Amino acid sequence: MSASTRYDVLIIGAGVTGTALLYELAKFTDLNRLCLVEKYDSIASVNSHAHSNSQTIHCGDIETNYTLAKASGVKRTAHMVINYATKLPARERDQIIFRMPKMVLGVGRQECSYIRQRYETFKDLFPRMQLLERGDIADIEPNVALVDGAWRREEIVATGTPDDYCAVDFQALAQSFSRECVRMDRASRKQITQLFSTKVDTIRRDTDGGYVLSTNRGLLQARAVVVCAGGHSLLMAQEMGLGLEYSCLPVAGSFYFAPEALNGKVYTVQNPNLPFAAVHGDHDVKERGKTRFGPTALMLPMLERYDRSSIKEFFKVLRFDRQVAGVLWDQLKVPDIRNYILRNFLYEVPKLNRHLFVKEIRKIVPSMSVKDISYAEGFGGIRPQLIDKAARKLRMGEAKISDGTGIIFNMTPSPGGTSCLGSGEDDMRAIARYLGASIDERAFERTLLMGHQGTRVSDEQHGLAEAI
């Protein structure tokens, strides 16, 4: 094995999570030999692609499934993304993050009461967030408040921000991280290698305590490995005897398009009995002149939405047994979840789907008709939800698997790509401790925790955020 194939850290997966970690290791540590491998021929071609997600910077202000503590941790990682992007040249910044209005909408007396109470709880954490009455909503999103120039019939209220960085092209963000690493590779003595069309077949411990990866390019060796490959991360972990307490339930999200109906992002109140996100409307940052509504939530037996070969891999990580069956049965026993699963299955049935889904959209835009919407072919990704077999429950949100020997497996980062730099920070610190590397804390703070949004917190607060 040649010296050129030996690395300090090797990262598998060039989505926004993997590229963010590569950037942080290259920028803020004294590790000199880094490598990222990706099985596809380009950056962020799966779940980080703009077609596969809602393009939202999740701060915790309009996501009603977040507690105050969860929102506090999410806000920090979201602002790291904003601070990074706003330091870029304007032309590059404007291809990555986007300013627009955002709000979470309450419809009907019960939801409006909830929104008002939530505003009082969250307003100190989000000082720019406003309580938006009917007239305020009409000023920002007229199609939400009005039907043919008259007020919609239901009581409505919202909380939100009229103008904020709240949308992101995660693929463009990942490409920016990659470009920064290319610049550092050329301008410094560090070797920062990015290998595409490189599929990892196996990972094994080496006799010297490091790791050997077998790939279609040959063998690669690293002192530490981080896997950022979605549902495939669990597969790789289980092949090494780790994460056997988990099974995987892939949930696919689909979208519908309408002509431009919203100026920004309009979220809705989530049903507390449902573990999946409520439908929202988004001013699409790539498909100009269109508003995207969704996502739906359909359980599919595959680890990648449009890769049939991942069906076989799904059954490997499903590890179906009585415990998995028990978790699924517990979910189906809840009427709201059972009806939700059936409804989302019907949202995929041609012709019938638009007639059903338009009812969801009308909660946001009451004047929307069936002829206005179309199924977004080729849009939507898969989010691998973990089943914790021992606890007999779905484990929503981020999961990391590690045995403390220099290898980390990342799955279902929460909240999605927004957490890329926060997840990368955690991995950077864990790898630095394991390898005895140094971190330039001042540069890290100056680059990611200061700027457009101040996110510096005390060690005690950061520890709380990590524990959430």
Side-chain angles (χ1 to χ4, degrees):
M1 196 174 300
S2 68
S4 64
T5 60
R6 294 190 179 100
Y7 300 97
D8 293 320
V9 185
L10 190 145
I11 301 164
I12 301 173
V16 73
T17 302
T19 53
L21 174 58
L22 181 69
Y23 165 77
E24 288 175 294
L25 289 171
K27 180 80 172 176
F28 306 119
T29 77
D30 58 355
L31 295 167
N32 291 318
R33 298 180 63 80
L34 306 171
C35 180
L36 179 145
V37 298
E38 167 59 48
K39 68 178 182 178
Y40 292 109
D41 61 3
S42 60
I43 293 281
S45 58
V46 188
N47 285 336
S48 298
H49 194 283
H51 290 180
S52 299
N53 56 75
S54 297
Q55 308 167 345
T56 300
I57 301 176
H58 292 283
C59 290
D61 51 352
I62 61 173
E63 296 85 2
T64 64
N65 55 320
Y66 291 175
T67 64
L68 185 64
K70 171 73 173 178
S72 178
V74 166
K75 176 183 175 183
R76 180 180 186 273
T77 61
H79 286 176
M80 290 167 72
V81 170
I82 296 172
N83 285 336
Y84 169 83
T86 50
K87 290 184 175 71
L88 297 171
R91 185 174 180 179
E92 185 176 357
R93 175 201 66 204
D94 293 344
Q95 296 298 314
I96 296 173
I97 58 172
F98 305 84
R99 299 188 73 107
M100 60 182 69
K102 62 175 176 176
M103 67 177 69
V104 55
L105 176 71
V107 179
R109 179 175 299 179
Q110 184 175 350
E111 287 190 2
C112 288
S113 176
Y114 169 79
I115 288 293
R116 294 180 189 280
Q117 293 172 9
R118 189 176 188 275
Y119 172 73
E120 294 300 323
T121 303
F122 282 72
K123 65 181 182 180
D124 290 338
L125 180 61
F126 298 101
R128 298 186 66 239
M129 182 174 69
Q130 302 174 19
L131 184 66
L132 305 170
E133 300 291 351
R134 184 186 297 266
D136 304 314
I137 296 171
D139 290 339
I140 299 169
E141 297 286 3
N143 289 327
V144 173
L146 302 170
V147 180
D148 295 328
W151 296 116
R152 65 187 291 175
R153 291 180 299 173
E154 307 99 328
E155 179 184 355
I156 58 171
V157 72
T159 58
T161 310
D163 181 39
D164 206 355
Y165 283 116
C166 62
V168 59
D169 182 341
F170 287 112
Q171 184 182 41
L173 178 61
Q175 290 167 341
S176 176
F177 291 144
S178 176
R179 285 194 299 270
E180 289 298 313
C181 290
V182 170
R183 293 188 186 107
M184 286 185 277
D185 176 68
R186 292 172 177 172
S188 71
R189 295 182 178 180
K190 292 189 175 187
Q191 178 185 339
I192 308 167
T193 303
Q194 300 180 61
L195 302 175
F196 296 93
S197 301
T198 305
K199 187 177 186 300
V200 176
D201 296 315
T202 62
I203 309 171
R204 62 176 174 83
R205 287 296 301 271
D206 201 0
T207 54
D208 65 359
Y211 294 89
V212 177
L213 288 76
S214 175
T215 80
N216 59 321
R217 286 177 176 261
L219 298 180
L220 301 174
Q221 187 180 43
R223 297 164 63 200
V225 174
V226 183
V227 184
C228 306
H232 294 90
S233 293
L234 181 59
L235 178 62
M236 292 182 183
Q238 291 181 342
E239 287 174 344
M240 297 190 68
L242 301 175
L244 298 177
E245 68 274 23
Y246 296 121
S247 179
C248 180
L249 184 67
V251 179
S254 297
F255 295 92
Y256 288 76
F257 276 129
E260 194 165 283
L262 298 174
N263 295 315
K265 293 182 172 290
V266 180
Y267 276 54
T268 54
V269 176
Q270 181 164 314
N271 182 337
N273 292 327
L274 296 176
F276 308 110
V279 169
H280 46 85
D282 301 274
H283 178 88
D284 201 286
V285 303
K286 297 290 281 188
E287 300 295 316
R288 299 303 173 126
K290 293 183 179 180
T291 296
R292 200 195 310 186
F293 292 92
T296 63
L298 180 69
M299 298 173 193
L300 289 180
M302 54 203 321
L303 297 184
E304 289 185 30
R305 181 71 181 271
Y306 304 105
D307 181 5
R308 292 185 179 275
S309 69
S310 69
I311 295 176
K312 181 179 178 181
E313 295 168 328
F314 158 72
F315 284 104
K316 290 182 180 179
V317 298
L318 177 61
R319 299 176 59 81
F320 190 80
D321 57 18
R322 288 185 178 181
Q323 291 172 306
V324 173
V327 173
L328 297 177
W329 177 245
D330 288 344
Q331 298 296 315
L332 290 172
K333 286 191 298 185
V334 180
D336 281 356
I337 294 179
R338 187 169 62 247
N339 295 336
Y340 181 80
I341 291 173
L342 174 61
R343 194 164 65 247
N344 277 267
F345 173 78
L346 296 176
Y347 291 156
E348 301 292 326
V349 178
K351 295 184 180 180
L352 177 63
N353 54 3
R354 292 189 303 136
H355 289 270
L356 294 175
F357 196 75
V358 74
K359 297 177 183 178
E360 298 271 10
I361 297 176
R362 283 174 183 153
K363 183 173 183 179
I364 301 172
V365 181
S367 61
M368 195 68 68
S369 67
V370 174
K371 64 180 176 59
D372 293 326
I373 67 171
S374 60
Y375 184 82
E377 293 285 351
F379 283 70
I382 280 186
R383 187 178 179 86
Q385 303 291 355
L386 290 186
I387 295 175
D388 188 326
K389 296 165 71 171
R392 286 179 61 94
K393 66 178 183 180
L394 280 177
R395 179 170 173 175
M396 311 303 292
E398 181 179 5
K400 289 180 184 287
I401 296 174
S402 178
D403 62 358
T405 61
I407 190 163
I408 301 170
F409 300 88
N410 285 311
M411 286 153 293
T412 61
S414 177
T418 303
S419 67
C420 62
L421 287 167
S423 174
E425 178 189 0
D426 293 339
D427 292 345
M428 175 184 69
R429 295 187 183 283
I431 292 296
R433 286 193 299 269
Y434 179 75
L435 297 180
S438 298
I439 297 172
D440 187 338
E441 297 289 355
R442 288 187 177 181
F444 178 82
E445 182 176 287
R446 184 172 59 251
T447 305
L448 299 180
L449 303 185
M450 300 171 64
H452 184 81
Q453 299 282 2
T455 62
R456 285 178 294 175
V457 295
S458 67
D459 291 340
E460 181 180 349
Q461 288 173 310
H462 183 48
L464 172 62
E466 288 181 333
I468 295 167

